[in-house]
Amino acid sequence: MYISKQQAPAREGITVQAPGRINIIGEHTDYNDGFVLPAAIDKKTTVMIRRNGTSSTANLTDSKQQKSFSFDLRNFAPHEKGWHNYVMGVVHELQVLGAEIGGFDAGFRGDVPIGSGMSSSAALECSFAVALNELFQLGFDKWQLIKASQMAEHHFVGIKCGIMDQFASVMGRHDQVMLLDCRSLEFQYFPFEPGDYQLLLLNSNVSHSLASSEYNTRRSECEEGVAILKKEIPEITNLRDVGLGQLLACRAKLPEPVFRRCHHVVAENLRVLDAAKSLLDNNFKKLGELMYQSHFSLQNDYEVSCPELDFLVTQTLEKAYIPGSRMMGGGFGGCTINIVEKQRVGEFVEQVSKSYRNQFGIDLTPIKVAIEDGAKILQ
Ligand code: GLA
């Protein structure tokens, strides 16, 4: 039991779960006000939470790691690295919105692999945001919880992430992917009917330390690009507004790496819209081509891939039973997302695991994912 008898709750506790996510396509576009095509998955974080009768003590337990952390709700700040910062960040952001949060005990566990690009962080943040909202009857709507969770990451973790992960974790729906316009926040559900195909993640089990610093660097490179492009095309506010032709016409004005970052974002937005159309047409071949283009653009233009991910994608090339593969998420490690004919999954996994071990001396983790509902209050 994660709560002691002395800290008797004022009301029954609740259990909330929030999932990690996949992203079919649309990487590093969210913080550029672009388009993404994510979905929530059957890997999640579950929080059991109850009031503990104190006015300001929060006791947290990571049930899997058997680690605890307590903080004073009236006086706390991010410190060291670790999961507690995500939770404190969510509490802080809800307080900024005016929430009155009393003392609580919470235990959580999850099966979203950490550092895998499947957004275990959004699962943790959103499960707490939804749980606190319910337990203390805060009355926030889903978008407020999504944005508070995103801001928790900016302010308490130091990653200036976009909105995709928290959005997917809260809004996800069984067997549906979502086309989100990260500027207007309008979104549309698309049925994901893979038929003979299986969504397969290959977790490279590497997580390079560059991930967080380079993420923020990419974001500022895009901002630098917009500042320069704005002098040529005053009507733009961000890369979302720039056409491919306009970007190419301004190439000489941009420092070379900045041009490539902008090129990735502008082209990736177009790919997302094409991919949504391919899904509607049930055209997995076309979707797969777009996924490969996305990968090579992330590898060469955006430079957020790594040798392990490139190797995994290369292993899928020229296999007619795999229409598409690419790195997924922020990059520098984590997973590739692959669309593989169901009947050939076993054979492929065996082959790629062997070559990956030979090449890097690392065991690969294959993960068959299903698309599931977003955050839920279980009881
Ligand atoms: C991380 C961030 C997201 C998004 C992706 C890249 O997952 O949290 O906001 O930027 O990287 O697409």
Side-chain angles (χ1 to χ4, degrees):
M1 216 28 199
Y2 65 93
I3 192 162
S4 69
K5 281 253 164 61
Q6 291 90 319
Q7 296 165 330
R11 51 163 279 180
E12 277 309 299
I14 54 165
T15 303
V16 170
Q17 73 181 31
R21 61 103 191 93
I22 51 166
N23 186 22
I24 304 289
I25 198 163
E27 225 62 90
H28 291 273
T29 45
D30 59 353
Y31 54 83
N32 286 301
D33 270 4
F35 299 100
V36 290
L37 199 60
I41 53 169
D42 56 344
K43 301 266 174 274
K44 55 203 164 299
T45 295
T46 305
V47 182
M48 292 145 294
I49 189 168
R50 61 204 308 175
R51 295 175 190 238
N52 62 18
T54 70
S55 60
S56 67
T57 304
N59 300 310
L60 311 174
T61 305
D62 175 343
S63 315
K64 202 162 159 192
Q65 310 285 336
Q66 299 272 304
K67 291 206 172 116
S68 294
F69 183 85
S70 296
F71 65 100
D72 183 341
L73 289 156
R74 290 167 308 196
N75 181 21
F76 60 97
H79 70 109
E80 293 168 5
K81 272 180 121 178
W83 52 267
H84 47 270
N85 285 331
Y86 296 85
V87 181
M88 287 196 292
V90 168
V91 170
H92 171 77
E93 297 302 329
L94 295 178
Q95 287 175 332
V96 168
L97 291 175
E100 303 251 337
I101 298 174
F104 65 87
D105 292 349
F108 70 92
R109 60 168 65 240
D111 61 357
V112 191
I114 294 169
S116 63
M118 293 161 74
S119 210
S120 57
S121 49
L124 181 59
E125 292 148 7
C126 296
S127 60
F128 268 89
V130 173
L132 290 167
N133 192 45
E134 180 66 15
L135 186 68
F136 293 101
Q137 297 290 299
L138 304 176
F140 295 126
D141 65 26
K142 286 185 176 181
W143 275 112
Q144 286 175 301
L145 299 177
I146 290 168
K147 288 178 189 169
S149 300
Q150 179 199 14
M151 285 304 126
E153 200 143 331
H154 282 218
H155 300 141
F156 271 63
V157 183
I159 299 189
K160 292 190 166 264
C161 63
I163 198 138
M164 168 170 74
D165 302 354
Q166 293 79 9
F167 158 79
S169 183
V170 171
M171 296 294 195
R173 228 186 238 177
H174 179 70
D175 280 349
Q176 315 248 341
V177 298
M178 298 165 288
L179 174 64
L180 172 69
D181 176 339
C182 299
R183 171 186 274 171
S184 68
L185 299 184
E186 279 168 14
F187 65 103
Q188 206 182 328
Y189 290 100
F190 281 74
F192 188 78
E193 290 161 349
D196 293 339
Y197 293 112
Q198 168 73 50
L199 274 176
L200 175 74
L201 305 185
L202 294 178
N203 189 350
S204 65
N205 288 319
V206 296
S207 180
H208 294 291
S209 57
L210 283 172
S212 47
S213 59
E214 288 296 305
Y215 187 94
N216 290 346
T217 305
R218 291 297 173 278
R219 198 173 170 141
S220 27
E221 285 170 328
C222 291
E223 283 160 9
E224 186 186 340
V226 171
I228 299 170
L229 288 167
K230 218 173 154 43
K231 289 186 198 141
E232 310 301 314
I233 328 164
E235 63 273 20
I236 65 163
T237 52
N238 54 43
L239 290 177
R240 160 71 174 279
D241 306 313
V242 181
L244 211 43
Q246 287 176 308
L247 177 66
L248 293 171
C250 297
R251 184 173 192 156
K253 310 270 177 199
L254 295 161
E256 206 271 333
V258 172
F259 167 77
R260 282 188 287 118
R261 309 303 185 239
C262 296
H263 187 257
H264 165 74
V265 175
V266 171
E268 184 81 348
N269 276 328
L270 298 172
R271 283 189 285 268
V272 178
L273 298 177
D274 276 358
K277 191 169 170 303
S278 315
L279 272 183
L280 277 182
D281 299 343
N282 234 6
N283 188 343
F284 282 86
K285 194 160 177 293
K286 173 75 185 155
L287 177 67
E289 279 165 20
L290 294 163
M291 289 169 71
Y292 280 118
Q293 286 170 19
S294 169
H295 181 78
F296 295 121
S297 174
L298 288 159
Q299 177 185 355
N300 301 316
D301 275 355
Y302 219 65
E303 294 182 285
V304 289
S305 189
C306 60
E308 294 85 352
L309 294 171
D310 294 339
F311 180 86
L312 291 175
V313 170
T314 307
Q315 292 291 304
T316 68
L317 293 173
E318 285 161 36
K319 289 189 169 67
Y321 61 92
I322 305 183
S325 171
R326 62 175 203 86
M327 58 150 277
M328 187 181 77
F332 301 103
C335 289
T336 60
I337 177 168
N338 307 271
I339 298 182
V340 186
E341 257 179 42
K342 275 184 188 150
Q343 295 199 334
R344 312 287 294 268
V345 167
E347 160 199 341
F348 171 60
V349 163
E350 197 177 315
Q351 179 256 300
V352 71
S353 304
K354 207 162 146 205
S355 5
Y356 188 71
R357 198 175 310 113
N358 285 343
Q359 183 77 14
F360 297 103
I362 303 171
D363 285 329
L364 196 63
T365 311
I367 307 169
K368 288 185 193 171
V369 278
I371 296 184
E372 273 309 335
D373 285 335
K376 268 188 200 161
I377 298 159
L378 298 181
Q379 45 180 287

